[in-house]
Amino acid sequence: MKLPTAPRAALTRLRRDAVFGLAGISVQFLALLVLSVPWLVYSDTAMPLLGVLAAVALPVAALAAVSPAFTRMQRRRFKALLGIDIPGPARRGPELRYNLLVGPAIACGGVLVWGFALVVGLAASTVFVWSPLGGRLKFLPTAMAATYVTAVGLALLALAYWLTGALARADVRAATALLGPDPAKALERRVEDLTERRAGTVDAADAERRRIERDLHDGAQQRLVSMAVNLGLAKATLGDLPEEARKVIDEAHREAKEAIEELNNLVRGLHPAVLDDRGLDAALSGIAARAPLPVRLHIDIPERPAPTVEAVAYFVVSESLANTTKHAQATGADVTVVRTGDILRVVIADDGVGGADPAQGSGLTGLVGRVGSVDGTFDLSSPRGGPTVITVELPCVL
């Protein structure tokens, strides 16, 4: 017969916690043997002072010496029976506290649970089963008394079930806190690991953008140029075409040139070749020259930052000036890029109408995310009526 889900889960949990607790008691029994060896060796000595020291100090010192081995045993116990992985290395002081104090205390609690609550509870709850086998006992003169004993036994079994789980949970908390590495150092290592992973992800994304730029430049862009040249030749050489056909060729030629221009803008927005070859100064000068409004540049970068940081700075300036052109109704803009120490500071200001807000879902949201990908800071000041000032600070080294 298959048990219902709740009782089956309770029995599974009890079996798991009980096996885990018994394994802990076994480990502590081994520790007791280690404690007893020096005591047995020196307990019959004729030197009282040495005997006292042997009985107290030497066992503790012996257990402290083998404490790392017991720590490894405890970690294997947690991993095998509960699936809890406690990483190392352990700190010496907390490790000794667990192996000398906490572990033995929890093991003693387990012995009490098994020796009293479980054994006595099991015997009392089954009194109606075994009492007829030995005849009527003097301390159970009536069936009513046996009923009370059974109820007490069931209560003790419930207490044993709860205490077994409570001891297992207490052991997990204590071992996690005392047998693991220093939480501050573990957090520091975690931050370093996440920082390295994030830098790798950012670099991979930047490399992918460069690959797309190369594919567009060497593939689709060249095909469009070839098509535009062929259409231009067709316009120049095929003079006897009907007027309708000439209009179709003219329209196709014009759209091909517009597509080439749009693709050029897209490629430059992804990652222009001049940024790799000559750096931010030359790349931003190209943006300023192509902008439909006057852009004043001030660039002071004595040493080039990391390529990924350069790409983010270029994207910030390019996208900000594009937003200015589309929405700000500005008559001019100022772009300042200055490196101070390990910080690259980018400021884009315009004299437009203001009111820019990243929360409205504009291109500013993408800027905030792009800056945050390299641990940069983004600050926007854009009151109604203007001016709009975007200030970005980027770490030069990732």
Side-chain angles (χ1 to χ4, degrees):
M1 182 180 68
K2 188 175 182 181
L3 288 174
T5 302
R8 186 168 67 250
L11 287 176
T12 300
R13 185 164 56 250
L14 176 61
R15 182 172 65 252
R16 180 200 64 192
D17 293 342
V19 172
F20 174 75
L22 288 174
I25 293 173
S26 301
V27 173
Q28 295 305 322
F29 179 75
L30 291 176
L32 181 62
L33 291 179
V34 173
L35 287 169
S36 65
V37 170
W39 188 85
L40 291 174
V41 172
Y42 290 100
S43 59
D44 294 332
T45 181
M47 299 176 63
L49 180 59
L50 183 59
V52 172
L53 291 176
V56 178
L58 289 180
V60 175
L63 185 58
V66 298
S67 184
F70 280 100
T71 297
R72 289 191 293 271
M73 294 175 63
Q74 296 286 13
R75 286 189 178 127
R76 284 195 290 270
R77 177 171 70 102
F78 281 91
K79 180 67 174 179
L81 300 179
L82 296 184
I84 297 175
D85 188 14
I86 300 177
R91 293 157 291 163
R92 187 63 173 169
E95 177 187 52
L96 292 177
R97 285 202 300 273
Y98 181 86
N99 290 325
L100 293 175
L101 299 175
V102 179
I106 294 177
C108 289
V111 171
L112 291 176
V113 170
W114 284 90
F116 177 75
L118 184 61
V119 175
V120 176
L122 186 62
S125 62
T126 58
V127 65
F128 281 108
V129 176
W130 56 263
S131 61
L133 300 179
R136 185 172 297 277
L137 301 180
K138 293 181 179 180
F139 60 87
L140 295 176
T142 64
M144 180 61 69
T147 302
Y148 290 149
V149 172
T150 301
V152 172
L154 292 176
L156 287 175
L157 287 178
L159 179 63
Y161 171 79
W162 181 84
L163 287 175
T164 301
L167 286 172
R169 291 190 295 272
D171 205 357
V172 169
R173 287 194 295 269
T176 303
L178 300 177
L179 297 183
D182 185 0
K185 293 183 178 179
L187 179 61
E188 183 179 349
R189 285 194 296 270
R190 178 65 174 164
V191 170
E192 291 176 354
D193 181 57
L194 291 176
T195 301
E196 291 177 359
R197 292 185 183 183
R198 188 218 57 205
T201 301
V202 171
D203 290 341
D206 188 58
E208 182 65 13
R209 283 194 296 270
R210 298 187 189 199
R211 184 193 64 78
I212 294 173
E213 182 269 332
R214 288 194 302 268
D215 290 345
L216 290 175
H217 183 273
D218 299 336
Q221 191 177 42
Q222 297 302 319
R223 289 177 180 271
L224 283 174
V225 170
S226 177
M227 182 179 68
V229 170
N230 290 333
L231 289 172
L233 290 174
K235 285 175 57 178
T237 59
L238 300 177
D240 56 348
L241 290 176
E243 185 62 23
E244 291 79 4
R246 290 185 61 83
K247 288 182 178 180
V248 171
I249 292 176
D250 288 342
E251 182 67 18
H253 189 222
R254 182 181 62 79
E255 290 184 356
K257 291 192 293 184
E258 291 177 354
I260 292 172
E261 181 63 24
E262 291 180 1
L263 190 58
N264 283 334
N265 293 333
L266 175 61
V267 168
R268 283 194 296 265
L270 286 172
H271 195 97
V274 68
L275 183 60
D276 287 334
D277 297 337
R278 299 172 57 191
L280 268 176
D281 195 344
L284 296 182
S285 297
I287 293 179
R290 293 189 300 270
L293 74 165
V295 177
R296 293 173 292 275
L297 286 177
H298 173 67
I299 301 177
D300 183 12
I301 310 176
E303 183 181 355
R304 292 183 64 173
T308 302
V309 175
E310 281 190 332
V312 172
Y314 176 86
F315 179 82
V316 168
V317 175
S318 176
E319 188 67 17
S320 298
L321 290 179
N323 289 338
T324 298
T325 302
K326 293 177 183 178
H327 309 296
Q329 303 176 23
T331 60
D334 292 275
V335 176
T336 302
V337 182
V338 177
R339 175 168 181 170
T340 305
D342 287 335
I343 297 297
L344 185 69
R345 182 180 176 88
V346 181
V347 180
I348 305 101
D350 66 63
D351 57 359
V353 296
D357 185 4
Q360 295 178 354
S362 63
L364 293 173
T365 304
L367 289 181
V368 174
R370 193 73 172 268
V371 171
S373 69
V374 293
D375 273 352
T377 60
F378 181 94
D379 181 72
L380 171 66
S381 174
S382 184
R384 293 289 179 182
T388 295
V389 179
I390 296 174
T391 304
V392 171
E393 292 187 349
L394 304 171
C396 293
V397 181
L398 296 180

